[in-house]
Amino acid sequence: MKYLLVAGSLALISACQSVPETQIQTYSYDSEQHTGMVHVNEKIYSSTHKTCQAKWRSGAVFDPTGLPLNLTSQGHFSLSLDDGAEAIKRFNFHIPQMDDGDVLLKDYQEYNEYLLEPEVDGILTQGRHFFAPEGYVVRVSDVETTGWWTKACIGIDHMYFLDPEGPDSDPLIILDRVVIPYAQKQGSPISFSFGSEVQHAGELSVKPR
């Protein structure tokens, strides 16, 4: 299968404690924002110290006030992801003061469009149109600091696609997700893993201000 990149824009472990795994869910959905069906593999962790509601990721996306986050933040988020193939990916940002139910969303995906099986006739190039974002989305919500404990609901998405199964098929769009109810004393780091076709080992921390 040949691909021709048409347009793209870039938006952009160690010995730590792991939270216990609870369940893995798999499902598919047809998305208007992508070409074809998205196949989801979702890993959900649990914690005796923090509970994340089932639909917490659907809360209102945090709308910044314009004030510098380093002045209004209630903590600092640090994440590293290792897929074993490339350099470790690192994401760091301030966590703002948010209303209950608000979700801080950080989109690090690349939005690309492709022509599948392109054919060139003079200056005209034709083929089947395919588009899907690739990369990572991080969500943080329900952040609280109680005594020595820092708690938060954290979600990480990784979207990518695989070669099609046949000459007339579109590439398979894969969405690997992980939900982590973070609860650590003094913002200590935790280790975790997730993924299906592409496996990740990760480490994250939420440092209180």
Side-chain angles (χ1 to χ4, degrees):
M1 173 61 73
K2 296 182 290 183
Y3 299 88
L4 177 66
L5 179 62
V6 175
S9 61
L10 176 64
L12 166 48
I13 274 191
S14 66
C16 18
Q17 181 180 352
S18 296
V19 286
E21 177 185 347
T22 57
Q23 59 178 314
I24 292 179
Q25 300 177 349
T26 58
Y27 55 93
S28 300
Y29 66 91
D30 197 4
S31 173
E32 296 181 355
Q33 298 176 339
H34 315 85
T35 299
M37 192 75 66
V38 178
H39 304 275
V40 184
N41 181 287
E42 183 175 30
K43 187 173 188 178
I44 302 173
Y45 283 89
S46 66
S47 170
T48 58
H49 300 284
K50 180 67 176 178
T51 300
C52 298
Q53 301 301 318
K55 296 183 179 181
W56 71 268
R57 285 179 302 197
S58 301
V61 175
F62 171 75
D63 186 12
T65 61
L67 295 175
L69 285 181
N70 61 338
L71 299 179
T72 62
S73 68
Q74 65 182 114
H76 185 266
F77 180 88
S78 179
L79 167 68
S80 63
L81 292 173
D82 184 3
D83 63 4
E86 300 179 0
I88 294 177
K89 302 168 184 66
R90 303 186 188 278
F91 308 94
N92 298 276
F93 50 82
H94 290 286
I95 300 175
Q97 296 279 354
M98 296 182 287
D99 294 334
D100 290 342
D102 280 1
V103 178
L104 178 64
L105 187 148
K106 295 290 186 177
D107 190 341
Y108 301 99
Q109 295 179 111
E110 299 177 0
Y111 292 86
N112 293 320
E113 298 183 15
Y114 294 87
L115 286 180
L116 306 180
E117 297 295 341
E119 297 180 358
V120 180
D121 182 9
I123 62 174
L124 180 65
T125 301
Q126 296 179 319
R128 291 187 293 116
H129 186 69
F130 174 83
F131 60 94
E134 300 174 82
Y136 301 89
V137 174
V138 180
R139 293 176 175 86
V140 180
S141 184
D142 197 19
V143 182
E144 57 181 316
T145 301
T146 306
W148 294 101
W149 288 87
T150 302
K151 304 177 183 180
C153 293
I154 297 167
I156 303 167
D157 292 358
H158 177 219
M159 179 165 280
Y160 54 102
F161 51 86
L162 306 177
D163 287 339
E165 297 178 341
D168 297 324
S169 301
D170 288 338
L172 294 174
I173 306 173
I174 308 295
L175 174 57
D176 291 335
R177 305 186 115 169
V178 62
V179 174
I180 301 169
Y182 178 89
Q184 289 292 100
K185 291 184 177 180
Q186 297 180 316
S188 299
I190 61 171
S191 61
F192 62 95
S193 64
F194 76 106
S196 55
E197 298 297 329
V198 177
Q199 293 285 331
H200 282 82
E203 179 179 309
L204 67 85
S205 66
V206 179
K207 297 288 187 181
R209 184 177 177 183

